[in-house]
Structure formats: C-alpha cells, structure tokens
Amino acid sequence: MDKSRGTRVAGERSLLVGAGISAVGTGMYVPFSLVFFHHVTGLSFALVGLVMTVTGLAGLAVLAPAGSAVDRFGAKRIVLALYGVRALGFALYPFAGSLPAFAAVALVTALADRSFPAVQQSLIGEVARGADRDRLQASLRALQNAGMGAGALIVSGVLALWGAAAFTYTVWGNALAFALAGLLVRRVRRVPPVHDAPTASTGRPAAGYRMVLGDRPFLALTAANFLTALGYAALSVLFPLYIATWLHGPDSLTGAAFTLNTALCAGIGVLVAGRVRRRGARRTRSAALGALLFAAAFVGQIVLGTLRPGQSATLVALMVIVVVYTLGELVHSPSSGALSVSAAPEAVRGRYLATYQVSHSLATALAPSLFTALLAVDGRLPWAVLAVAAAGAALALVRLERRLPAEAVYPQPSVVAAASAPRSPASEPAPVPAPVV
C-alpha cells in the first residue's frame, strides 16, 4: 500500500461532501452575480455593482479578526458560523428590495465569504497532518470545481425553464446548500495536538499578529503567493477581455476555455496531485513547478497574440494553453495550500492563514484594473507581466526552502492513525529522511 496516500481523517467524507454542496450553491450565483442580484432585489445594475464592490473591499477587513477567532475558538466553530451567516444572508436576499437592506445583507454575506477560504484552510490543518493535508487540498479543489460547474448548469437549466423569476428560488437553493454543508461539517473531528503549546482549545493563543509580521520567511511565502494568485485571476478576468479585444474571437471561446478548465480540475485534479505526492517532491518544488507551468501558458498567450492565426487554429492553440494552465493549477494549488498550512505554527494558525489569504484577496481586487490598464497598451503586455510574476514566484519558492520549517517543505506520511493510538517508546518510528528532488 502506498503510504503517501495516508488514511482517512475523521469526518473526511462529510467535509468533502459539504464542500461540494456549498460549491454548487456558489456556482449558482457567481457566474451571473450582477444579473442574479439585480433580479433578486429589483435594484439597478449600477447600484448592485457599486454595492458588491464596496462590500467586497470591506470584506478584507474581517480577515484579521477571523484569524484571531480561529486561534481562540477553533476553525471548526468558525467554519460552522460562516456557513450559518452565508445561509442566512442568501435566505434574506429576496426580502432586501431597498438599497439599505441590500447593502446590509450584502455586507454581512461578503464578510463571511472573504474570510471563509482562510478559515477552511485552518480547518484542514486541524483535521489532518502530513501528506493527508496535500490529499485533502486536492480533493477539496476538485470537488469545488465540480460543484461550481454543476451549480452553473443547474441555474442555466432553471432559467431556461422558468425565466428570471427563478432567481428567487435559486437564491433560496443557495441558502439551503450552505446550511447542509454546515450540518455535514459538524461531523469532522480534529486530530490531537502534536505538542503542549497553547492552542485554540485552551483559548489562550501563544502570540498575536506581531508574531506573524515578525516571521519573514512566511511573509515572503505570502508575497510569492500573491505573484501566483494574479495568474489564478487571469482565467476569469483577462481571458475574456483578451479573446474579445485582441484576438477578436467569439464569446464561445471563453466558454470553451472555462468548460475545459473546470472539467480537467474536477476530472484529474486528485490524480495529478496524487502523482506529485507519491513522488515525494518537496512542496516548495511542486508549487514552483506549478508556477512555471503558469508562466509557460502565459508565454503561449504571447505567441498566440503575436501570430493571430485563423479561428480554427486559435481555438486549438487556446485549448492547448488552457490545458497547460490547468496543469499548473493542479500541481500548484494542493502543494502551496499544504505548504502554507504546515508552515503556520499550530497555536496561531488562524492568524497566519488569514495573513496568507490577503495575497489571494489583494490579487483578486487588483486584477481587473491592472489587466485592463496593461491590455489598453498592448494585448500581450499583461501576459508578459504574469509570466515574469509566475517565474519570480517559482524562484522565490525554491529559495525559501531552507528558511521554512522542514515539516512544511517535506510532506510526511499520515500520522492520523498513529496519533489516535497509544505507543510505547519501542514503537516510535525512525526519523523519515528528507526526499531528494
């Protein structure tokens, strides 16, 4: 048996199914967000867009308190609270017909949405150790992609059958999805702490954000992730603009790119991550490889934008580029996620991962204005910037190897089964040698 596959953590199936269900709810509104909330509330597109922008930026402010709450109360409790807030928020949207009511509901929901990824990462750190963290990262990403794709298909079918009036029923479906996900997560059990340092269960964190800001290797890891996170934002923001304004291609090319990316993430995500994990690669090297695949895809866009072949050749080339881009995502995401979780000290993991999440949120906020400004100069310029950023992230990850904790860089076999059973000194395993990559 391949030990790198680890053992199932307590409540793993419930955690994964819950994530998939909540992703279906997310997929039912994210692709149509402006239209979605316009029909649900009756407000104009301009007002809906303004409220979404302001509340989205305001959501960044809750990351720090969310991290502190995780360290004090535990990630599972905060995940349950956030699921509850999201379920309540979507249940109230159909009744938020005025601007103040919509802004209030949107603000509360945005606060929960922005902080959820960091809290979920902390939950993975609580329920799994060693290589199980990489495996859970890959499984969650695959299920989230599959769920979002299924949600988009569901809402498309519902709208085709019942028209815009179906948006109200869809929003209640979102609320139900988040509520069910929360019920499932209740079954998850955390693994015992590996040391006697104060943890979330004691209510007395060892240190605050001053400790995080003093950890230069982790801040460098966060900065490197910001460079890669810009690449993640490219698929939803830059791809459609580039195809329409520079390649002068039909909108169907954008749909084909999204469909291919989602299908690959859902279909082979776990397989690719498992292959990387079984090779025993350092997480820094795996994440760096993913970043280099991103860079290769971005260089491919520059070549495509320079040659500008016919529509058929453009379609084929774009699909090849999307495949390379998606492989980069599948290799980078589990490794970088497990790296950030494992590099965070257990007692202040919530604060660390809240800080790490800023790299994602900031990239998402800056991407639209950055990409449009560069695209206005030359359609290939944003891809050149992204390629340099991805290559720089890869270099930074490799150089950080010696400065990050060894247990973060080298994924160890699962210790869940061992941690739950008493051991005598004679049964202690020998140290696991660091794999050579």
Side-chain angles (χ1 to χ4, degrees), residues 19-340:
I21 291 175
S22 68
V24 171
T26 302
M28 290 169 69
Y29 79 92
V30 165
F32 313 96
S33 53
L34 282 174
V35 178
F36 184 97
F37 291 118
H38 164 72
H39 284 288
V40 169
T41 64
L43 299 174
S44 68
F45 287 114
L47 283 176
V48 169
L50 178 62
V51 170
M52 290 179 64
T53 298
V54 172
T55 56
L57 292 174
L60 293 175
V62 82
L63 280 173
S68 299
V70 167
D71 293 332
R72 181 168 296 276
F73 302 110
K76 179 181 173 180
R77 292 181 180 179
I78 306 305
V79 164
L80 292 175
L82 294 180
Y83 271 137
V85 171
R86 296 163 95 190
L88 178 62
F90 276 91
L92 292 176
Y93 269 125
F95 305 103
S98 66
L99 178 59
F102 173 60
V105 175
L107 176 60
V108 173
T109 307
L111 295 180
D113 284 341
R114 290 291 185 181
S115 57
F116 186 82
V119 178
Q120 187 178 58
Q121 289 287 87
S122 297
L123 181 61
I124 291 175
E126 282 189 3
V127 304
R129 300 199 189 282
D132 279 338
R133 288 176 177 172
D134 305 71
R135 180 172 54 80
L136 277 179
Q137 292 278 357
S139 298
L140 280 170
R141 188 160 191 84
L143 280 171
Q144 286 168 344
N145 276 277
M148 290 189 67
L153 288 175
I154 289 172
V155 74
S156 297
V158 169
L159 292 174
L161 289 174
W162 290 291
F167 274 120
T168 298
Y169 301 105
T170 302
V171 79
W172 284 332
N174 293 337
L176 179 61
F178 292 131
L180 288 174
L183 291 175
L184 287 167
V185 171
R186 287 173 61 89
R187 301 180 180 179
V188 177
R189 297 290 180 267
R190 62 178 296 166
V191 294
V194 295
H195 51 70
D196 296 328
T199 62
S201 62
T202 67
R204 292 181 289 105
Y209 279 102
R210 185 175 301 177
M211 178 178 177
V212 185
L213 297 178
D215 191 338
R216 292 186 178 182
F218 190 85
L219 293 181
L221 180 66
T222 302
N225 189 68
F226 168 76
L227 297 177
T228 314
L230 287 172
Y232 278 93
L235 185 63
S236 59
V237 179
L238 183 55
F239 264 70
L241 292 174
Y242 177 70
I243 291 171
T245 62
W246 187 260
L247 297 181
H248 302 292
D251 292 336
S252 59
L253 285 179
T254 299
F258 274 94
T259 301
L260 180 59
N261 173 263
T262 302
L264 288 174
C265 287
I268 66 171
V270 176
L271 177 65
V272 171
R275 180 65 59 87
V276 172
R277 190 170 63 251
R278 287 193 294 274
R279 288 177 63 87
R282 306 173 196 179
R283 287 177 176 134
T284 45
R285 299 290 175 95
S286 300
L289 175 59
L292 289 177
L293 288 170
F294 272 162
F298 301 149
V299 171
Q301 291 283 32
I302 296 173
V303 174
L304 179 61
T306 301
L307 299 179
R308 297 190 188 185
Q311 184 169 324
S312 298
T314 297
L315 174 61
V316 172
L318 188 63
M319 293 303 102
V320 171
I321 290 170
V322 171
V323 169
V324 176
Y325 173 91
T326 306
L327 287 175
E329 180 180 348
L330 297 180
V331 173
H332 177 271
S333 179
S335 298
S336 64
L339 181 64
S340 64

Side-chain angles (χ1 to χ4, degrees), residues 329-374:
E329 180 180 348
L330 297 180
V331 173
H332 177 271
S333 179
S335 298
S336 64
L339 181 64
S340 64
V341 173
S342 301
E346 189 169 354
V348 285
R349 184 186 292 131
R351 289 172 169 87
Y352 266 71
L353 295 181
T355 302
Y356 189 79
Q357 180 61 30
V358 171
S359 62
H360 287 286
S361 299
L362 189 60
T364 301
L366 293 178
S369 57
L370 175 64
F371 293 159
T372 51
L374 294 174

